[in-house]
Amino acid sequence: MAGAEWKSLEECLEKHLPLPDLQEVKRVLYGKELRKLDLPREAFEAASREDFELQGYAFEAAEEQLRRPRIVHVGLVQNRIPLPANAPVAEQVSALHRRIKAIVEVAAMCGVNIICFQEAWKKLPWTEFAESAEDGPTTRFCQKLAKNHDMVVVSPILERDSEHGDVLWNTAVVISNSGAVLGKTRKNHIPRVGDFNESTYYMEGNLGHPVFQTQFGRIAVNICYGRHHPLNWLMYSINGAEIIFNPSATIGALSESLWPIEARNAAIANHCFTCAINRVGTEHFPNEFTSGDGKKAHQDFGYFYGSSYVAAPDSSRTPGLSRSRDGLLVAKLDLNLCQQVNDVWNFKMTGRYEMYARELAEAVKSNYSPTIVKE
Ligand SMILES: NC(=O)NCCC(=O)O
């Protein structure tokens, strides 16, 4: 399993494939080649000074007679944790805030309207990271960023809900570009796979599938492991999401072959844009742990492979950010594309939701027996 030394799938293809083959491979793997965004020189200079990758791509939609283009620039941020996992909690938080601030400043130079960070999660002693979604230090920090840069901020945190007995949740706070907290959404599906046994970390989300109306479009957040659940994406889409962010923390050995497929498939199946964001690097913990999966005790989860990307309803997608570096991916979207693709493929119209609702309602009953026709 490659670590940081294997930079990206895209770099590998470009290095090894002759141009005509490369073009066909890109057509199949990426839908089509997207135009690179002409981002400001100062943004590239700042990104290089701060040592993170910056890439930008544009998704186009057809011109319409009655609607003007609905252009929005999204920013996806992937990063290593700046300090080791056993550094004092307050120092880790400040270092993360400093790193994010530097990246958000570059996003502002690139005209980003909505920015989303990667997933946040951990257990003891990292429960000390947990904070109020409404007025914790990270939310207050993000409110300032949002207001200063006129940018919607999606901020995944570990939430401590002190109004309900200090319950911990894996939460994304959505902050309007006015600086006001628009609301929050919680991770609906908690992984019980390999080392990612988060069932002892926090509870399954209880807020359903909220969609947030922002000045730039309707957005939702499907947190990490939720991306394996097609119905989770579906419900955000049924509630009207035009862009679904998927802040994640996942490692190569477990999910790298799933990564390019799942968010991209969700964009296609739901006539919306999806933004898949993964962290970078290997994180070491002071104590060994096992996950009862037959593997030897170890002190890290494995390699978080970055590779953040944006996918569109017409099956096109951006290349991924690198597997090894912090990065900011800027994508220019025309939200008109969602309805345009819907009008061609009609997945909502042909979805037969009433039939599935009826069948699922039966299937979850304890006395259900599956319909299997036998000779
Ligand atoms: N953070 C998290 O839910 N990780 C689970 C692993 C995965 O979904 O790939």
Side-chain angles (χ1 to χ4, degrees), residues 119-121 170 187 189-193 196-198 202 223-228 247-251 254-256 258-259 262 304-305:
E119 187 193 22
W121 53 275
N170 184 319
K187 184 171 181 171
H189 299 275
I190 304 297
R192 291 164 175 82
V193 53
F196 292 90
N197 187 349
E198 297 174 11
Y202 28 69
I223 302 176
C224 195
Y225 185 77
R227 77 182 178 285
H228 311 300
S248 298
T250 187
I251 52 155
L254 183 66
S255 66
E256 199 161 1
L258 283 55
W259 183 253
E262 291 174 309
F304 294 98
Y305 54 85

Side-chain angles (χ1 to χ4, degrees), residues 142-279:
C142 289
Q143 285 181 285
K144 275 196 207 128
L145 292 178
K147 199 162 186 229
N148 287 348
H149 298 301
D150 190 21
M151 203 185 279
V152 173
V153 174
V154 180
S155 165
I157 60 162
L158 185 56
E159 178 191 2
R160 181 179 295 281
D161 184 1
S162 53
E163 307 215 331
H164 296 92
D166 269 350
V167 175
L168 299 176
W169 305 96
N170 184 319
T171 297
V173 186
V174 178
I175 297 156
S176 163
N177 52 319
S178 68
V181 174
L182 199 51
K184 66 186 175 187
T185 182
R186 289 174 174 154
K187 184 171 181 171
N188 282 326
H189 299 275
I190 304 297
R192 291 164 175 82
V193 53
D195 287 339
F196 292 90
N197 187 349
E198 297 174 11
S199 57
T200 58
Y201 293 13
Y202 28 69
M203 287 303 292
E204 266 82 10
N206 60 353
L207 299 179
H209 297 84
V211 168
F212 302 91
Q213 177 73 65
T214 75
Q215 187 187 315
F216 310 106
R218 290 188 302 274
I219 66 170
V221 194
N222 176 359
I223 302 176
C224 195
Y225 185 77
R227 77 182 178 285
H228 311 300
H229 294 270
L231 291 178
N232 209 33
W233 296 102
L234 174 71
M235 283 314 302
Y236 293 116
S237 163
I238 281 183
N239 285 340
E242 297 165 300
I243 308 169
I244 308 178
F245 292 93
N246 174 233
S248 298
T250 187
I251 52 155
L254 183 66
S255 66
E256 199 161 1
S257 57
L258 283 55
W259 183 253
I261 300 169
E262 291 174 309
R264 186 176 178 210
N265 182 56
I268 297 166
N270 296 296
H271 304 315
C272 66
F273 288 91
T274 59
C275 302
I277 304 168
N278 188 22
R279 65 210 277 142

Side-chain angles (χ1 to χ4, degrees), residues 42 50 53 67 72 264 267 270 276 281 295 314 318 322 350:
E42 316 83 76
E50 291 288 339
E53 183 187 15
R67 294 192 307 174
V72 50
R264 186 176 178 210
N270 296 296
K295 291 192 194 137
D314 66 354
T318 68
S322 95
T350 58

